[in-house]
Amino acid sequence: MGTAYTPGLTISADAVVRKVRRLPLKGQVLVQVGDFVSPDKVIARTELPGPVTTVRVAEQLGVEPNELPRFLLKRVGESVQAGEPLAERKSLWGLLTTRVPSPVSGTIEFVSETTGNLGIRHPPTPVEVTAYLQGFVVEVLPQEGAVIATRGTFIQGIFGLGGERNAPLALLARSPDETVSDSRLSDEHRGKALIVGAHIHWNLLEAARQVGAVALIAGSVQDSDLKRLLGYELGVAITGDEAIPFTLITTEGFGQLAMARRTFELLAAQEGKLASLNGATQIRAGVIRPEVIVPRDGLTLDDLQAPEEEPVKVGELAIGTPVRLIRAPYFGRLGRVVALPPEPQTIETETQTRVAEVELVDGERVIVPRANLEIFAHSDAS
């Protein structure tokens, strides 16, 4: 009996979730420990320095680089507007004037008497970090951000697209194996995170875009529909930054798979409540899972200290264990272990590793490294 496997997803009705919210560079933190924050609360802000545009001023004036300071109308540290003169040279006893206008707005960063060039720093870009979760500030990271904690329903998916969003949950599916028709969507679903049951199909994706849904949560999706949505073939990099109008989260994988009943029931019980959702996914080192987080009603600081619900215990990998495959070419597919060869075997990469033989739900049998499996803890995995 082997113990090499990837742990399964977290599915909990009562979990304490902590998120580190950090600026990309040092700035100002706007909250204190103990503050209660909403998801869209700005907890820290900073400014990213703008790029520098170099202007060949001496060359345009027709002077030597070391002569440039004589003709400048702006000095280092002064602001300038696009089109405003940077330098001016008069010739032919003042009858002819040559001016060099600024191509951009910004601040004079440098003047070089060696090259005759002038640098203009573009205005800084403001950057703000929000809390993402509805909860409490439990730690402040000086000049960087804060740690936000909440408690409630926490559901991880297998794959997602799109970044962080917050929206009330709306239940469209009547059961975890229902595939919702696009005709069920209407203007009342604008701004909502939709629980759509078993399968997200193309017509549903298009309808969600048209009505302005914030997120879709379902058991599965076809990879061909994802390619159509994105306009390109999805690779193996981290997802979450896609230019799509909603966040998409699948709890089971690719194809046409029903949502696990426990997952569906937990989501359905939170209908109408505000959820924090993130489709970001990474399946290699440093695993990142898409997630749905719904804080409990009336959350207090004391709630964050109380014991959590006992997590589901995941047993060892054994014959008959339901598993999900988490690497290409079988990513997201479900099956059961039918054999566990005791000796390491050589795989396609010519490395030696312990493997498992898995019978997929369609009857196909495959040999995969045990590290490419996660135990599928739901009782309705088959």
Side-chain angles (χ1 to χ4, degrees), residues 172 178-185 201 204:
L172 271 70
E178 179 186 5
T179 297
V180 171
S181 169
D182 56 287
S183 63
R184 298 267 296 280
L185 273 68
H201 50 85
L204 194 62

Side-chain angles (χ1 to χ4, degrees), residues 92-372:
L92 294 178
W93 302 282
L95 298 177
L96 181 64
T97 300
T98 302
R99 294 186 178 91
V100 178
S102 175
V104 297
S105 298
T107 303
I108 307 301
E109 180 85 358
F110 68 84
V111 174
S112 172
E113 297 184 36
T114 302
T115 64
N117 297 338
L118 177 149
I120 303 172
R121 175 76 67 178
H122 292 228
T125 301
V127 175
E128 295 181 336
V129 173
T130 62
Y132 173 55
L133 298 178
Q134 179 174 284
F136 289 93
V137 178
V138 294
E139 181 181 354
V140 168
L141 310 173
Q143 298 183 292
E144 296 184 20
V147 180
I148 311 299
T150 193
R151 182 170 186 161
T153 298
F154 180 42
I155 294 172
Q156 289 182 316
I158 184 69
F159 176 80
L161 295 175
E164 296 175 354
R165 286 180 166 90
N166 295 276
L169 293 173
L171 181 65
L172 271 70
R174 303 178 185 89
S175 66
D177 57 358
E178 179 186 5
T179 297
V180 171
S181 169
D182 56 287
S183 63
R184 298 267 296 280
L185 273 68
S186 65
D187 286 342
E188 70 176 285
H189 298 118
R190 182 177 303 276
K192 303 289 182 61
L194 310 180
I195 306 164
V196 295
H199 179 59
I200 303 173
H201 50 85
W202 173 253
N203 289 343
L204 194 62
L205 291 171
E206 182 62 18
R209 182 188 67 79
Q210 292 180 3
V211 304
V214 168
L216 293 174
I217 311 165
S220 58
V221 67
Q222 294 281 12
D223 54 0
S224 58
D225 287 338
L226 292 183
K227 181 178 179 180
R228 189 175 176 184
L229 173 67
L230 296 170
Y232 56 86
E233 192 77 48
L234 192 66
V236 295
I238 298 176
T239 71
D241 294 327
E242 295 76 22
I244 56 177
F246 44 71
T247 290
L248 182 152
I249 296 173
T250 62
T251 61
E252 317 307 321
F254 294 105
Q256 297 193 32
L257 304 171
M259 184 182 291
R261 183 165 298 279
R262 172 169 166 77
T263 303
F264 179 81
E265 290 174 349
L266 282 178
L267 287 170
Q270 306 305 314
E271 183 179 15
K273 295 182 179 180
L274 182 66
S276 297
L277 310 100
N278 190 355
T281 308
Q282 178 174 298
I283 61 172
R284 292 191 170 181
V287 173
I288 299 172
R289 298 291 196 188
E291 62 188 16
V292 181
I293 304 166
V294 186
R296 64 164 58 173
D297 294 331
L299 183 70
T300 68
L301 271 172
D302 289 340
D303 291 332
L304 302 178
Q305 309 301 323
E308 300 175 51
E309 176 188 75
E310 186 69 19
V312 175
K313 298 297 184 182
V314 179
E316 294 182 327
L317 203 63
I319 305 300
T321 299
V323 292
R324 184 187 346 243
L325 282 66
I326 61 170
R327 300 288 188 277
Y330 308 108
F331 177 72
R333 298 179 68 179
L334 304 179
R336 293 184 182 276
V337 175
V338 294
L340 290 168
E343 298 299 325
Q345 296 189 15
T346 302
I347 58 176
E348 291 182 0
T349 58
E350 298 184 356
T351 58
Q352 290 268 322
T353 187
R354 301 181 74 189
V355 301
E357 183 177 357
V358 177
E359 182 177 310
L360 303 177
V361 293
D362 61 2
E364 180 184 1
R365 291 197 175 197
V366 297
I367 304 293
V368 295
R370 298 186 192 184
N372 290 3

